[in-house]
């Protein structure tokens, strides 16, 4: 990761305290480690945690209670401080030296109270016994489950097909270089290397990303794929020195089956779609082409380039395609084709004028999934325009299964609509667990010289 001196030192704990302590719970993120275990994690749990308030030279532990939860982060209060919150500490339940009650006994570690509280209470044994009766703690297999859920079927040297970031209407062959927390750094096979061996073109996505496919997928469904430029030699890069292996179907997320029988999307049908190059906009769009296996190519109306290079492939089950009228019904500003204005645009008129029909509502996957996100919740989210970056973000709106994400400190024009089940959003503390670098908020007052990039409009794809 390109380290930037200004990025260091971000602390979720104090940031949350300043911003109201609201964070999306781990149970909202189906693909996140320990999601299924999170029902057992709640305020009031007691744990054994490293005691940082002692002068002893060796590692000792003490009992603490979870007083606040924010994603994977827990605010802990050592036993004995009662209502005194001045020694509370934020811990990441996924990484820190936090264990179930009983762990010290089993592992021959010492439980020692913090110095200050030591003096108040004379008989620690009975004090603790009293406090621990009926208390709940972390599941014993908590850390084992964590390690299990961080396993990933992709390795360096695995070949995939993935969207071509320089031309989003086609895919391109790529090789997995690194895997961090289930997110893959992919190198295009003909992306080229610079004079000192540096990669000129890469792409990042989660292993469950809808943009990622097994080798052979494009040909099978009829999607356009860039022919690999064989004259580009990548062999000096470590990822290409491996014996390359084609990815296989079982490494990928299973999509919901759609029946492409008599009533499926047809070329020319109108719909509303998230603009793939401007993810904060939902625009008037058309089905441009129907592929196999439930995939369609969609293009925004009025901006199409005749070669179809602005088309984007969506699966029929995608959250990013919406029935006509969706924006109006949900009070979202619809992005109109050039030449139209909000005062006079109606779908009925537009369909008449263009001699087209709306794609039938039942073809869309707008099921409400009861996701648990609410506006104001903090999370860690990929900036899909720059998918290497996982950033501090806030849920700004929830509409059905869609979330409008705001990147803290950035202009609203960077906001992005994502699905509540997107694999590119993570609970607070995910980066810390996986070792991924988190992009902290910019501002509130960006230092001079950062102003430009802060306000510059995203122009380039991804
Ligand atoms: N190069 C871009 C980075 C934007 C990243 C924003 N992430 C929320 C710019 O400065 O415009």
């Amino acid at each position: 990761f390109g380290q930037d001196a200004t990025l260091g030192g971000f602390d979720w704990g104090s940031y949350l305290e300043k911003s109201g302590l609201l964070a999306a719970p781990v149970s909202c993120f189906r693909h996140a480690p320990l999601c299924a275990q999170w029902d057992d994690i709640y305020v009031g749990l007691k744990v054994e945690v490293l005691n940082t308030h002692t002068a002893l030279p060796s590692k000792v532990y003490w009992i603490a209670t979870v007083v606040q939860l924010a994603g994977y982060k827990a605010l802990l209060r050592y036993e004995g401080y009662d209502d005194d919150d001045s020694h509370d500490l934020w811990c990441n339940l996924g990484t820190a030296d936090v264990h179930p009650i009983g762990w010290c006994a089993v592992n021959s570690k010492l439980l020692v109270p913090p110095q200050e509280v030591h003096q108040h209470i004379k008989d620690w044994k009975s004090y603790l016994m009293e406090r621990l009766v009926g208390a709940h703690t972390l599941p014993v297999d908590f850390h084992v489950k964590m390690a299990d859920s961080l396993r990933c079927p992709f390795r360096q040297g695995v070949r995939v097909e993935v969207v071509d970031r320089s031309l989003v209407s086609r895919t391109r062959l790529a090789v997995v270089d690194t895997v961090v927390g289930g997110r893959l750094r992919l190198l295009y096979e003909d992306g080229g290397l610079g004079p000192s061996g540096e990669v000129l073109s890469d792409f990042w996505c989660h292993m469950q990303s809808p943009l990622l496919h097994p080798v052979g997928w494009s040909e099978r469904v009829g999607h356009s794929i860039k022919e690999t430029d064989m004259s580009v030699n990548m062999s000096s890069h470590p990822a290409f020195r491996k014996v390359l292996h084609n990815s296989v179907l079982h490494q990928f997320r299973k999509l919901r089956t759609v029946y492409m029988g008599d009533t499926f999307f047809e070329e020319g049908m109108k719909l509303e779609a998230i603009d793939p190059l401007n993810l904060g906009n939902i625009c008037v769009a058309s089905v441009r082409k129907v592929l196999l296996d439930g995939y369609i190519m969609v293009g925004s109306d009025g901006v199409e380039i005749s070669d179809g290079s602005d088309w984007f492939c969506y699966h029929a089950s995608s959250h990013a395609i919406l029935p006509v009228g969706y924006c109006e019904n949900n009070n979202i500003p619809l992005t109109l084709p050039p030449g139209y204005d909000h005062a006079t645009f109606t779908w009925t008129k537009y369909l008449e004028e263009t001699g087209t029909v709306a794609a039938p509502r039942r073809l869309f996957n707008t099921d409400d999934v009861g996701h648990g996100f609410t506006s104001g919740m903090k999370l860690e989210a990929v900036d899909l325009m720059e998918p290497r970056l996982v950033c501090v973000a806030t849920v700004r709106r929830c509409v059905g299964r869609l979330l409008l994400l705001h990147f803290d400190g950035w202009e609203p024009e960077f906001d992005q609509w994502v699905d509540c089940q997107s694999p590119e959003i993570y609970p607070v503390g995910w980066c810390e667990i996986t070792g991924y670098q988190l992009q902290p908020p910019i501002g509130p007052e960006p230092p001079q010289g950062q102003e430009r990039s802060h306000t510059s409009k995203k122009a380039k794809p991804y």
Side-chain angles (χ1 to χ4, degrees), residues 383 386 389 391 407 410 414 453 456 460:
D383 176 352
E386 204 118 16
L389 306 178
C391 312
F407 295 102
W410 294 84
F414 287 92
S453 71
S456 73
K460 51 189 176 296

Side-chain angles (χ1 to χ4, degrees), residues 33-101:
L34 295 177
C35 174
Q37 274 72 45
W38 217 254
D39 283 347
D40 296 328
I41 308 301
Y42 41 85
V43 167
L45 283 189
K46 296 203 187 288
V47 295
E48 293 177 356
V49 63
L50 198 65
N51 177 0
T52 52
H53 296 280
T54 165
L56 294 174
S58 59
K59 265 189 169 184
V60 295
Y61 294 79
W62 189 233
I63 313 278
T65 308
V66 174
V67 292
Q68 191 70 244
L69 273 172
Y72 291 110
K73 302 285 264 186
L75 187 64
L76 300 180
R77 183 164 310 161
Y78 287 120
E79 207 55 64
Y81 282 120
D82 296 321
D83 292 332
D84 177 4
D85 63 6
S86 59
H87 297 85
D88 290 359
L89 70 160
W90 283 98
C91 276
N92 192 316
L93 292 180
T95 59
D97 239 340
V98 188
H99 304 279
I101 299 290

Side-chain angles (χ1 to χ4, degrees), residues 188-204:
Y188 293 117
E189 286 200 344
D190 57 358
L193 298 175
S196 43
E198 75 276 15
V199 170
L200 297 178
S201 191
D202 67 352
F203 187 78
W204 280 87

Side-chain angles (χ1 to χ4, degrees), residues 278-297:
N278 232 318
L279 296 163
N281 291 351
I282 299 181
C283 54
V284 172
S286 308
V287 177
R288 302 288 180 193
K289 197 177 170 194
V290 178
L291 313 180
L292 293 182
D293 284 2
Y295 290 96
I296 55 176
M297 298 303 292

